[in-house]
Amino acid sequence: KQWYQRRVAITAGGKDFCLDEKYGYVHSCPTNLGTGMRASVHIDLPGWTAHGVDKLKARCEELSLQPRGTRGESGGQTGCTYDISNKHRLGYSEVQLVQVMIDGVNKLYEEDLEFQKTLFAFPDFKSVNSLVAKYVTKERWDKLCRHVTSTAGFTLRKAVICAIELDNQGNGVYAGDWDSYKDFAEIFDLIIQEYHGISPDAKHTSDMDVSKIVGNVNPKAPVKSTRIRVGRSIDGFGLSPGITKEQRLKVESLFKSASKKLPGKLGGTYYPLTGMEESVRQQLVDDHFLFVTGDPNLRISGMERDWPEGRGIFHNVDKTFLVWVNEEDQFRIISMELGGDVKGVFSRLVEGIEAVGTSVKEESGKDFMLDEKYGYVHSCPSNLGTGMRASVHIDLPGWTSHGVDKLKARCEKLSLQPRGTRGESGGQTGCTYDISNKHRLGYSEVELVQTMIDGVNTLYKEDLEFQAAQKAAKTEAPKSEEKPKAKEETTKEDAPKK
């Protein structure tokens, strides 16, 4: 066909195609010099998709192939369908390149079938007490394990991989996109309902009217700082466990532009992790703002792919309003300050959420993902609903002496969640605790903040009582420990005379 086209050109215009003796057929892009040939097929590779797209790319490199999404060179990858072509153009003949593509595709297909045998087999869950182990039955697994979501190419195995590889999971599941909650609803719904304690027909409720908050944390309570955050995700993009590199970079680009429009005291600076100067990095570490790599959940679930590209931190001038970009969620919107003015921190958060949402909508034309049933969509089902975690760092020496396990039990009754001050997996040291609302779904933002305020005030009151009781016990201890004086023995000589 190429020969015929060239002959027609010669006959019609007397000129041939540009053909260089060294570089072959001349093209505008040097990558196409030589044959200029790209021989490709669109092929489904569900086994390779489950095994890992990055691993597929590495394998294609070994086979002198080039994998792409089906929407072109810059269109990204969705589902399990790939455009597989020869990588080279120059230094090989047309026949050789076509042969390379044929042989390579056949090899990928053979390997895909092998991956399907192992990857689609019902897994052994190391987290035997997780909700995943409870609800992912073999019947449900066999029904759903081969499905691939459309937005991010996510699979059931990717969703439950933490429960497969780790032994400490409570839920053990993450969503790679909004589709995951819909396509794997047979499993996700059961886990969500049990974790959040909601009925199958429950619906999300929202109320951010700050004026409805009653009271505040007792100003005498030893609260070091207050922090309230929510997660948000832009519709049309994957969530962190499944988001493609191209989507992640697009989310970052949208926020970079949107952040420049944040008004008044919310305005500030965005700091991308890629290429960050050491002085900036150290300042963010000193401010306790910087999120870092290394968390086992984030690594195994796929949230740290392509680290640190597409990730960054925004904060305002006063360092009281922050946005984390592409950590566990696309956005973590945070309001914080020293002290215990929970109501003031909540007010700033409400203003910030509205400003970020408006700016993103102006840049992209897209809203945040909001499900009628499950509220704001997050990668972890535990954050569905409001996505809000309202917390304080507070010293509770009385409770610490009384018993940390007893404190945990008390927090459960108050719908609170106690943590160490080094994060969810950081452990507990000293007598300072991070106390927050436990629930996210089934309650409004106002209700959750009120629950935290009331619960912290209750814990503080009880802590003072424990301290007083412990002090009294120490004061009385020496008296109770005094030994009675031994009776003096009498002799015949000392005995009283009759």
Side-chain angles (χ1 to χ4, degrees):
K1 184 177 179 181
Q2 287 180 336
W3 177 87
Y4 174 74
Q5 290 173 336
R6 287 198 290 271
R7 292 302 96 201
V8 170
I10 291 171
T11 303
K15 294 187 177 182
D16 207 342
F17 291 132
C18 300
L19 178 59
D20 186 88
E21 182 179 355
K22 185 176 183 180
Y23 291 132
Y25 289 100
V26 179
H27 294 72
S28 61
C29 182
T31 61
N32 286 320
L33 291 173
T35 61
M37 173 180 285
R38 184 175 185 276
S40 66
V41 296
H42 282 190
I43 182 173
D44 288 342
L45 296 173
W48 268 109
T49 301
H51 188 58
V53 175
D54 290 338
K55 294 177 181 177
L56 171 60
K57 290 178 180 178
R59 181 59 174 140
C60 285
E61 184 71 24
E62 295 173 352
L63 296 171
S64 296
L65 298 177
Q66 187 178 47
R68 295 179 180 175
T70 55
R71 294 179 292 175
E73 188 171 4
S74 305
Q77 167 59 29
T78 58
C80 66
T81 306
Y82 299 84
D83 179 307
I84 305 293
S85 68
N86 55 292
K87 177 182 178 181
H88 302 293
R89 310 283 190 271
L90 181 62
Y92 303 86
S93 71
E94 291 83 354
V95 166
Q96 288 175 311
L97 294 177
V98 172
Q99 192 67 56
V100 163
M101 190 272 282
I102 291 173
D103 295 342
V105 167
N106 284 335
K107 188 65 177 176
L108 290 176
Y109 173 62
E110 292 173 10
E111 294 167 347
D112 193 81
L113 293 177
E114 292 300 315
F115 285 133
Q116 289 186 45
K117 291 179 183 178
T118 56
L119 293 171
F120 297 145
F122 185 66
D124 291 324
F125 297 112
K126 288 185 179 180
S127 290
V128 294
N129 296 318
S130 65
L131 294 181
V132 162
K134 180 177 181 179
Y135 290 116
V136 180
T137 62
K138 188 176 188 305
E139 181 181 2
R140 293 185 181 121
W141 175 269
D142 290 341
K143 178 180 177 181
L144 298 170
C145 68
R146 286 175 171 77
H147 179 75
V148 179
T149 63
S150 61
T151 301
F154 213 61
T155 64
L156 181 57
R157 184 180 180 84
K158 289 180 179 179
V160 301
I161 191 64
C162 284
I164 294 173
E165 296 193 11
L166 299 174
D167 62 4
N168 62 349
Q169 301 294 290
N171 287 339
V173 64
Y174 287 99
D177 47 22
W178 196 350
D179 304 331
S180 299
Y181 287 108
K182 304 169 186 176
D183 298 354
F184 306 127
E186 190 172 335
I187 292 170
F188 270 100
D189 283 355
L190 295 172
I191 291 174
I192 292 165
Q193 288 160 19
E194 176 162 337
Y195 178 84
H196 290 281
I198 61 172
S199 64
D201 59 352
K203 290 188 177 182
H204 169 65
T205 179
S206 180
D207 184 357
M208 293 196 186
D209 186 348
V210 181
S211 67
K212 295 180 181 179
I213 299 292
V214 179
N216 212 333
V217 169
N218 189 330
K220 295 182 179 180
V223 173
K224 298 176 181 294
S225 62
T226 301
R227 179 180 185 269
I228 308 179
R229 60 86 168 159
V230 298
R232 293 291 187 268
S233 301
I234 306 173
D235 193 10
F237 296 90
L239 303 173
S240 286
I243 193 170
T244 66
K245 181 178 180 179
E246 293 79 9
Q247 290 173 346
R248 189 187 301 110
L249 291 172
K250 181 64 174 176
V251 168
E252 183 189 34
S253 177
L254 285 173
F255 181 78
K256 281 181 181 179
S257 299
S259 66
K260 296 174 183 177
K261 300 178 181 179
L262 295 179
K265 290 187 176 181
L266 296 177
T269 305
Y270 177 73
Y271 302 93
L273 265 60
T274 303
M276 181 178 286
E277 295 181 4
E278 176 57 26
S279 59
V280 174
R281 189 198 70 80
Q282 188 58 53
Q283 186 60 57
L284 291 170
V285 169
D286 293 343
D287 290 332
H288 303 287
F289 291 169
L290 188 67
F291 61 87
V292 295
T293 183
D295 183 283
N297 282 6
L298 302 189
R299 176 177 55 81
I300 291 172
S301 63
M303 292 190 231
E304 293 190 349
R305 289 168 297 122
D306 308 309
W307 183 276
E309 286 187 284
R311 299 165 173 89
I313 298 169
F314 169 91
H315 69 70
N316 66 346
V317 176
D318 294 335
K319 299 183 178 181
T320 56
F321 179 70
L322 289 76
V323 181
W324 287 359
V325 178
N326 286 324
E327 193 237 9
E328 183 173 326
D329 290 301
Q330 288 179 21
F331 300 133
R332 282 286 174 92
I333 304 173
I334 305 164
S335 177
M336 61 190 293
E337 65 182 51
L338 297 177
D341 183 11
V342 177
K343 196 169 184 179
V345 172
F346 181 48
S347 178
R348 185 190 307 112
L349 179 75
V350 172
E351 181 184 357
I353 294 171
E354 177 66 25
V356 172
T358 299
S359 297
V360 168
K361 180 69 176 288
E362 290 176 355
E363 287 295 320
S364 65
K366 297 177 180 292
D367 291 309
F368 291 138
M369 297 183 203
L370 179 59
D371 187 90
E372 182 181 357
K373 185 175 183 180
Y374 291 138
Y376 289 100
V377 179
H378 296 69
S379 62
C380 182
S382 66
N383 285 319
L384 290 173
T386 62
M388 173 177 285
R389 185 173 184 274
S391 67
V392 296
H393 282 189
I394 182 173
D395 287 341
L396 297 173
W399 268 110
T400 301
S401 298
H402 189 59
V404 175
D405 289 338
K406 293 177 181 178
L407 171 61
K408 291 179 180 179
R410 181 59 173 143
C411 284
E412 183 72 23
K413 292 180 180 179
L414 294 171
S415 296
L416 298 177
Q417 187 177 45
R419 294 180 181 177
T421 55
R422 293 179 294 175
E424 188 170 6
S425 306
Q428 168 60 29
T429 58
C431 66
T432 306
Y433 298 84
D434 179 307
I435 305 293
S436 68
N437 56 291
K438 177 183 178 181
H439 300 294
R440 312 280 188 269
L441 181 61
Y443 303 85
S444 72
E445 292 84 355
V446 166
E447 288 176 311
L448 295 178
V449 171
Q450 192 69 59
T451 293
M452 190 271 278
I453 290 173
D454 296 342
V456 167
N457 284 335
T458 297
L459 290 176
Y460 171 60
K461 179 182 177 182
E462 294 168 346
D463 193 80
L464 293 177
E465 293 171 356
F466 285 132
Q467 290 185 55
Q470 291 155 12
K471 185 177 180 180
K474 288 181 180 179
T475 303
E476 295 174 3
K479 296 180 180 179
S480 61
E481 291 173 2
E482 288 181 4
K483 295 181 179 180
K485 292 182 179 180
K487 293 181 179 180
E488 294 182 359
E489 294 184 2
T490 58
T491 64
K492 288 183 179 181
E493 288 76 10
D494 296 328
K497 296 179 180 180
K498 294 182 180 180

